[in-house]
Amino acid sequence: MKSRLRSRSRIRGAALWLLLLELRTPLILLIAAYSVSVLGLVLIPGSTSAGEPYYLSFLDAFFLVSYTATTIGFGEIPYPFTPTQKMWMLFVMYSTVISWLYAIGSVLSVLSDPEFRRLRAYQRVVSRVQGIRYPFWVVCGYGGAGSQLIRFLDQVGVRCVMIDVNATRSDTARLSDLSYELDVLVGDVAEPQTLVDAGVQRALCRGVLALTDRDQVNLTVATNTRILAPRVPVYARSGTDSNTRNLRSFDTEVVVDPFRVAARSVTQLIKKPRAFALYHELVDPDLNQIDIMDLPSEGHWIICATGRMAEMMIEAFVREDISFCLVSPNEPSEREGEWSWVRGLGTEANTLREARINEACGIVAGTNDDGDNLSILLTAQSENPQLATVARRNKPTSEPVFGQGHFNYVLREGRIIAQEMYARITTPLLHEFLGQLETMPEALVEGVIEKLNMRLDGERPELNHFDSLLNHANAPGVMTVLESGGTPLLGDLLVDPGAGHPNMPCICLLLIRLNGDRVPFPGDGLSLKEGDQLLLWGASGIASRFKLLIQRQDLFESVVADRHQTKA
């Protein structure tokens, strides 16, 4: 506790100490000028109106020097000065005024110094963080992922504290259009003190998000957080398998590999377009409709990629048994499965022709350069206008071009990471369902979407998801029926408590029992038990009606009785 208080005091006093350090010489000069001036006036005799000598006291001399140095000038007191006093007063005027000008200039120089202003801004943010009275997350790195995730979380009322070493990005973060003033610390996230200043040791800190584009920095943030605040979860970005294993070796809660997720998304889009549409509607708050893109599931694909992206694409396409040809400057080190390789970037038509562009049904432009990716796709479209196109966008500043490129799908690394972490932060139960979704048959997913469409009765409202826990605190109405020996069913919860008890425009995606049993897409006839966790998906705004039903005993009993009477 004492060390934390000392640390806080150190931060708050650093700017004052820097100011005093820079003003050391001007203050010494000013004190010396005042001391010599006062001493001279005390020692030099004056003359009264009667011609008798007199001496000024130290108080009178200091008063005289003070109004002279500040150019106020009350005159010669208490008697007109002698020639000797006047000569000394000339020295007093010039020495004190020059000293003051030097001191004021030094103060202005320090106040306008960029380093001093940065320190003062840092102090203000640290003070605000220490005064936060609401839960918050610490976001390390304001790149594509950090900026997108902060915006996503703001839409559901989750606040953040941001750290970035780049002053320009930090200024951009301060100007972001959020519902609150974002606290931004300009500092090195790899420094433990920076994390402490950001509030990771505070009880209101809900977690740390390591989202920089450097794996070693993210690893350092995770290890420092684990030691400084063991209770605080860490969500980290990782670009290599070795770094992922390292992060998971000390129980990092969530590790997101954007290249692996991107490759999985592309193959899911090709093989399971409905699962792809459902996945993105659930994890992206900007998407509130199910839009299914039907791409050719059979045929030859061309992958133009290098490095880590090429490795993950090869692994995903081989796993899903999708025929493809890799276009890359470097020959792959491992060749598993039946696929071909062409040397090159793919920006030239001859290279694409060698990869059989005329026979291809789709192309993935996944290099590290946005200009190359655009060139690849434009060249490919000129050779085969019927191609399905998947583009990789590396820099957020390239969004205007990719957004108007009319490509079938754009891989945005920052958005991919933000989607994965948003799903885990806002609805932990959703992560369980997404794991189930990867292995579900496409026909089952299609049936679930059709089931929701039937409940929507032909309308296309905005969609949203929410979770619920059946216990005494959250669902007293349901618990009363259970304790009285009743057997409420899942379908009883999906009824609107209003007049006529129509069906709610929502369905249950996942039910988890208290013993850990998981039931994906449970039927309406499933019996409910205490401790059940439900993930529901349907029309936006239906959550309030659902909560009203499970909290009001009279409403829920009325719904159950009405449903049983209808069945009878």
Side-chain angles (χ1 to χ4, degrees):
M1 183 66 181
K2 291 182 178 180
S3 62
R4 189 178 303 177
L5 292 175
R6 284 197 299 268
S7 174
R8 193 179 305 172
S9 176
R10 175 189 62 81
I11 291 295
R12 292 176 177 172
L16 179 60
W17 174 253
L18 179 61
L19 179 63
L20 293 177
L21 188 65
E22 293 295 328
L23 294 180
R24 181 174 52 186
T25 302
L27 289 176
I28 291 175
L29 179 62
L30 193 61
I31 292 171
Y34 265 71
S35 300
V36 173
S37 299
V38 169
L39 183 62
L41 287 174
V42 170
L43 296 178
I44 296 174
S47 178
T48 64
S49 55
E52 297 179 357
Y54 76 94
Y55 291 90
L56 292 173
S57 66
F58 278 98
L59 178 60
D60 291 336
F62 180 73
F63 178 69
L64 181 61
V65 171
S66 296
Y67 71 66
T68 301
T70 54
T71 68
I72 295 175
F74 279 154
E76 301 174 3
I77 57 173
Y79 302 102
F81 291 162
T82 63
T84 305
Q85 286 179 312
K86 290 180 179 179
M87 289 296 295
W88 185 251
M89 283 303 300
L90 288 175
F91 167 78
V92 170
M93 286 187 288
Y94 286 109
S95 63
T96 54
V97 169
I98 291 174
S99 299
W100 269 114
L101 291 176
Y102 178 47
I104 294 173
S106 299
V107 171
L108 295 177
S109 176
V110 172
L111 294 179
S112 61
D113 182 69
E115 186 65 20
F116 178 81
R117 296 173 66 182
R118 185 198 67 79
L119 184 58
R120 284 290 299 129
Y122 190 93
Q123 286 180 323
R124 287 193 294 269
V125 175
V126 171
S127 298
R128 287 202 303 268
V129 170
Q130 296 299 331
I132 289 178
R133 294 294 179 266
Y134 47 79
F136 63 92
W137 287 73
V138 177
V139 180
C140 301
Y142 192 78
S147 58
Q148 195 73 256
L149 184 55
I150 289 174
R151 187 175 65 84
F152 282 174
L153 294 175
D154 181 46
Q155 295 181 26
V156 293
V158 178
R159 298 197 176 191
C160 299
V161 173
M162 202 277 290
I163 309 173
D164 199 289
V165 72
N166 186 285
T168 302
R169 287 199 299 265
S170 300
D171 292 337
T172 303
R174 292 189 182 95
L175 298 175
S176 56
D177 186 18
L178 301 175
S179 62
Y180 64 98
E181 182 181 358
L182 181 64
D183 292 318
V184 181
L185 283 174
V186 182
D188 186 0
V189 296
E191 294 292 333
Q193 186 60 50
T194 307
L195 293 173
V196 173
D197 294 338
V200 296
Q201 293 181 321
R202 295 200 60 201
L204 291 171
C205 181
R206 293 295 180 261
V208 174
L209 306 170
L211 303 177
T212 73
D213 55 1
R214 296 170 58 192
D215 283 351
Q216 186 59 41
V217 173
N218 294 335
L219 177 63
T220 302
V221 170
T223 54
N224 290 344
T225 303
R226 185 62 67 205
I227 295 173
L228 292 171
R231 63 165 189 84
V232 175
V234 179
Y235 294 10
R237 173 198 181 276
S238 176
T240 62
D241 289 338
S242 60
N243 190 65
T244 299
R245 289 191 296 270
N246 200 343
L247 286 166
R248 287 177 174 163
S249 65
F250 52 89
D251 299 328
T252 301
E253 278 70 15
V254 176
V255 181
V256 177
D257 184 342
F259 302 104
R260 190 176 295 277
V261 176
R264 183 196 66 199
S265 295
V266 173
T267 56
Q268 190 180 51
L269 175 60
I270 298 171
K271 287 289 189 178
K272 300 179 179 180
R274 286 159 183 79
F276 174 88
L278 177 58
Y279 170 86
H280 281 82
E281 197 286 323
L282 291 173
V283 301
D284 195 324
D286 289 340
L287 301 178
N288 48 41
Q289 294 287 345
I290 286 288
D291 295 319
I292 300 173
M293 293 185 290
D294 286 319
L295 298 186
S297 59
E298 301 293 336
H300 167 69
W301 279 76
I302 297 175
I303 301 175
C304 301
T306 58
R308 175 74 172 170
M309 180 63 79
E311 295 175 3
M312 293 297 99
M313 285 291 178
I314 292 172
E315 179 183 311
F317 272 67
V318 169
R319 182 176 60 249
E320 296 296 331
D321 195 24
I322 302 174
S323 175
F324 71 96
C325 173
L326 176 67
V327 177
S328 177
N330 304 315
E331 184 176 3
S333 57
E334 298 182 2
R335 297 288 297 273
E336 295 183 2
E338 296 182 3
W339 51 275
S340 57
W341 167 68
V342 174
R343 186 184 299 275
L345 278 176
T347 55
E348 298 181 359
N350 290 336
T351 305
L352 295 179
R353 290 173 190 149
E354 188 177 351
R356 297 178 292 129
I357 185 69
N358 292 329
E359 305 172 15
C361 64
I363 184 170
V364 179
T367 71
N368 298 327
D369 186 90
D370 288 341
D372 287 342
N373 291 335
L374 292 171
S375 176
I376 290 169
L377 294 175
L378 293 177
T379 305
Q381 287 176 330
S382 65
E383 292 290 319
N384 185 350
Q386 305 302 320
L387 276 177
T389 52
V390 177
R392 176 188 177 189
R393 191 215 67 187
N394 296 278
K395 298 179 180 178
T397 52
S398 302
E399 180 58 31
V401 181
F402 283 88
Q404 298 183 18
H406 303 292
F407 306 123
N408 293 99
Y409 180 49
V410 179
L411 295 169
R412 299 171 174 88
E413 180 179 330
R415 196 178 191 92
I416 288 172
I417 299 172
Q419 289 172 342
E420 288 284 318
M421 294 193 174
Y422 170 81
R424 288 163 170 79
I425 292 172
T426 57
T427 315
L429 199 61
L430 179 59
H431 174 55
E432 298 280 349
F433 172 74
L434 296 178
Q436 300 276 339
L437 182 62
E438 292 184 16
T439 59
M440 288 179 187
E442 182 73 353
L444 178 59
V445 179
E446 183 179 5
V448 170
I449 296 176
E450 183 61 28
K451 182 179 179 181
L452 177 62
N453 288 333
M454 290 176 61
R455 282 184 168 265
L456 294 176
D457 197 20
E459 298 181 359
R460 285 180 58 85
E462 293 187 356
L463 301 178
N464 200 357
H465 64 273
F466 61 97
D467 57 0
S468 181
L469 175 62
L470 300 185
N471 58 13
H472 288 279
N474 298 309
V478 179
M479 296 307 301
T480 302
V481 175
L482 283 172
E483 291 173 351
S484 63
T487 56
L489 307 178
L490 176 61
D492 297 335
L493 298 181
L494 305 181
V495 177
D496 194 285
H501 302 317
N503 288 332
M504 277 190 187
C506 69
I507 61 174
C508 183
L509 296 177
L510 179 67
L511 183 144
I512 299 182
R513 297 289 191 190
L514 190 60
N515 60 4
D517 291 343
R518 291 164 172 78
V519 185
F521 302 141
D524 291 351
L526 184 67
S527 299
L528 299 175
K529 297 180 180 179
E530 182 179 359
D532 285 348
Q533 299 179 66
L534 307 175
L535 175 64
L536 299 114
W537 174 53
S540 180
I542 203 65
S544 58
R545 305 287 293 172
F546 180 86
K547 292 178 180 178
L548 176 65
L549 175 64
I550 64 176
Q551 290 176 355
R552 289 274 301 273
Q553 177 184 349
D554 56 337
L555 288 178
F556 187 67
E557 289 179 345
S558 172
V559 166
V560 172
D562 183 69
R563 281 174 55 83
H564 289 182
Q565 183 179 2
T566 302
K567 289 180 181 180

